Amino acid sequence: MKVNGTLMNYYIHCPRQCYLFGNRINLEDNSETVNIGRILHEERADNENTEIALDNIKLDKLTKEYLTEVKKSDADIEACKWQLLLYLKILKDKGIVRKGKLEFIEKKKTIKKTMILELTPEIEIMLKKYVKAIDELLKCDEVPPVLGKSSCKKCAYYEYCYI
């Protein structure tokens, strides 16, 4: 499986989740949190009609200056950042250079968080390392261990990992 933004996000967030999803164990259809995020994306897409499918990724919005990725929560900013950075690298490889804009649209917060990201040579090196690590992880015979974080309770894979 070619590494996409979801795998990158999951790898940073939880290698076990990345492994399970990458090996086609998909429990996300049963997750209320995932469904809420999907609905928010669909509503935004209906209003702006901007989502773009490119190779094995889906981009939320592409303008002359920015590639914008929209997230429903800032619960794991690091994972979101690396997902967007991977998208920027994929675009750059196709000759499209943009800055990245990460927007969080949390429903209970009145202030919308926005972050601006740019690719650097150091980030590109790290992306290569992450992609290689994800490729190797997905080929493993053993499922990575449970992380045991408090955030696990909200994960679509919680029942798989803990029950």
Side-chain angles (χ1 to χ4, degrees), residues 50-54 57-62 67-68 87 91:
T50 57
E51 189 174 84
I52 300 166
L54 178 67
I57 62 173
K58 286 188 179 177
L59 308 174
D60 291 344
K61 184 177 181 180
L62 185 64
L67 166 59
T68 302
Y87 292 163
L91 284 178

Side-chain angles (χ1 to χ4, degrees), residues 15-27:
R16 183 178 179 93
Q17 184 181 22
C18 177
Y19 176 89
L20 294 170
F21 184 82
N23 282 286
R24 310 223 189 286
I25 298 171
N26 186 355
L27 302 177

Side-chain angles (χ1 to χ4, degrees), residues 17-58:
Q17 184 181 22
C18 177
Y19 176 89
L20 294 170
F21 184 82
N23 282 286
R24 310 223 189 286
I25 298 171
N26 186 355
L27 302 177
E28 297 193 344
D29 292 338
N30 301 329
S31 169
E32 184 177 333
T33 303
V34 173
N35 287 330
I36 290 169
R38 191 174 293 132
I39 289 166
L40 289 172
H41 261 70
E42 288 171 3
E43 283 179 2
R44 187 175 173 97
D46 287 346
N47 293 336
E48 297 184 18
N49 195 24
T50 57
E51 189 174 84
I52 300 166
L54 178 67
D55 293 341
N56 65 333
I57 62 173
K58 286 188 179 177

